[in-house]
Amino acid sequence: RAEILHELFPDVDQFELTLYKAHGYQKEKGCFKASFHAVWPKLIVDRARANAVRLATLARFDQESARGNEIFDTQRKLLQADERNTR
């Protein structure tokens, strides 16, 4: 995602990342869940820009996945691991 951020915000020289990890049992789905939340504290965006970053990230993942590399293999394994896993 850092590459995408640099493409979308070329005037920003450096991005500082704070990565949060959360895990635990999710009662609604009846399973354990782990998630990561990436925060760039100095990058402030509105809802429209946040959505643009998300869509650009998904598009890049799709491009990389189509090439049959490690991202593709990881995505395939995660999607097969549980029917509730989605893109």
Side-chain angles (χ1 to χ4, degrees), residues 5-61:
L5 290 174
H6 280 289
E7 290 172 12
L8 296 174
F9 303 98
D11 294 337
V12 179
D13 292 333
Q14 187 175 8
F15 292 101
E16 178 184 323
L17 168 65
T18 303
L19 188 63
Y20 297 94
K21 179 183 177 189
H23 58 87
Y25 190 78
Q26 188 177 30
K27 293 178 185 179
E28 297 83 17
K29 293 186 178 183
C31 63
F32 285 94
K33 179 181 175 184
S35 61
F36 295 89
H37 302 276
V39 176
W40 287 266
K42 295 181 182 178
L43 183 62
I44 308 298
V45 297
D46 58 16
R47 186 177 300 238
R49 286 188 180 179
N51 190 48
V53 170
R54 179 181 180 278
L55 293 176
T57 301
L58 291 174
R60 180 70 59 87
F61 283 163

Side-chain angles (χ1 to χ4, degrees), residues 61-69 72:
F61 283 163
D62 286 343
Q63 289 171 356
E64 294 297 321
S65 295
R67 297 193 309 183
N69 57 21
F72 172 79

